[in-house]
Amino acid sequence: MAHAHFTSKLGFIAAAAGSAVGLGNIWGFPTEAANNGGGTFLLIYFAMVVLVGYPMLLAEVTIGNLAQANPIDALSRLTQKAKSRIVLAGIGWAGTLTILLILSFYSVVGAWIMNAVIQQVNSLLNIAMPSIPLWLSAYGFLALTACVIVLGVKNGIERLSKILMPTLLLLLIIMIIWVLTLDGASKGISWYFTSDFSQLSPELLGRALGQAFFSLSIGVTGMMTYGAYLKRSRGLPKTVASVTLLDTSVAFLAGLLILPALSAAQAQGITVFNGAGQLIGSDKLVFDILPALFANLGVTGLLISILFFVLLLIAAITSSISMMEPPVNTLQEKTGLNRKACLIAVTAVAALVIG
C-alpha cells in the first residue's frame, strides 16, 4: 500500500528532529548533566552520540527508507529466512506497541505542562482561570496530537514541524540570553564547561548512553517510519547527520539554559540539591525550582516562565506526533483501512491506557 512522502529532505529533517527533540533534550539531558558532573556528562554524552547514537539512528532510518514500508514489514524484509522474518516482525510489533504506550505516558506529561502554562498565565494576569483535571488535559493533549496526524504527512507532520522547530530554537536562544544575565548564572556556566574525569564510572557511561538513545528516539520505530516517508536517497548519512546535529545542539542549548538557571536559583536561596548533591527531583526542577526562580523576578520572570513551558509543550507535541504516526501507519498498511479509521483506533487505545 503506497504511502505519502515528505516533500523534501528539509521536511524530513524538521520532522525527524522534532521527533528526536523532546522532553529528553529539554528536561532529561539537563537533569542528567546536573546530577552527573556537568561538563563531564556533556563530553561523554557527545561521545556516545557520535560513536553509538548516530550509527544506530542511520541504521534505523535506512531500514525504513529502503523498505518504504511500515516497521513490521521493513524489518521482516531484512532476511529471507522464515523463522528470522517472524522474529524480526515480532520486534517491529513490539516497537510499535511500545511507542503507543509511551504516547499515553507522554500525554500525561503533556497535561502537566499544559496546566503549568495556565498557572503561569494566572500568575501573570493575576486572575483565577479554572483548573482543568489532569485526565481531561491528557485527553486534550492526545486530541491535539491526533489533529496533526489526521492532516497527513505533508500537510500535518511536515508543515507543523517546519514551524515548531524554528520556534523552539528561537525560544531557547531568547531564554538563554536572559538567564545568563541573572546573578549567580556564571557559576552554572563554569559548572557546565568544566570536566572532571575522575568522576568517570560505568554508571556514568550507561547514563550517557541511555540519554543518547532516548534523546535520538532510537529503537521505537518512529525514525524507521519517518525514513520510509523519505524518498530513496544516496545522501542518507548526511541527512541523518543533520538530524543528529540539530538534536544534540538543542540538548546542549537546554543545558546552557538550565544549569545557569539552577545556579541563579541557588544564589536566591532556593533549594536545588539534596544532601547527597543530587537535584531534589527532576519533576521539581521543572515544576518547582524554575517557576520559583522566575516568580522572584517580577513580570519579566513570569513572561519567561510562560515561554519556558511553551517551549516544553512544543517539544512534547513534536515528539508525540512521531509516537502516534507509526501505529497509525502500520495499522493502515496492514488492514487497508483509511487513515481516519486507523487514527481513531490508535487514539482510543492510547486514551484507554491513560484512563
Side-chain angles (χ1 to χ4, degrees), residues 277-294:
Q278 300 287 296
L279 282 175
I280 58 176
S282 61
D283 57 333
K284 292 184 180 295
L285 164 66
V286 172
F287 296 105
D288 292 326
I289 297 175
L290 294 180
L293 167 65
F294 298 141

Side-chain angles (χ1 to χ4, degrees), residues 36-44 190-201 204:
N36 294 282
T40 306
F41 184 83
L42 175 66
L43 288 179
I44 299 303
S190 176
W191 178 26
Y192 194 38
F193 290 105
T194 301
S195 300
D196 179 7
F197 289 102
S198 66
Q199 299 179 5
L200 278 178
S201 66
L204 178 59

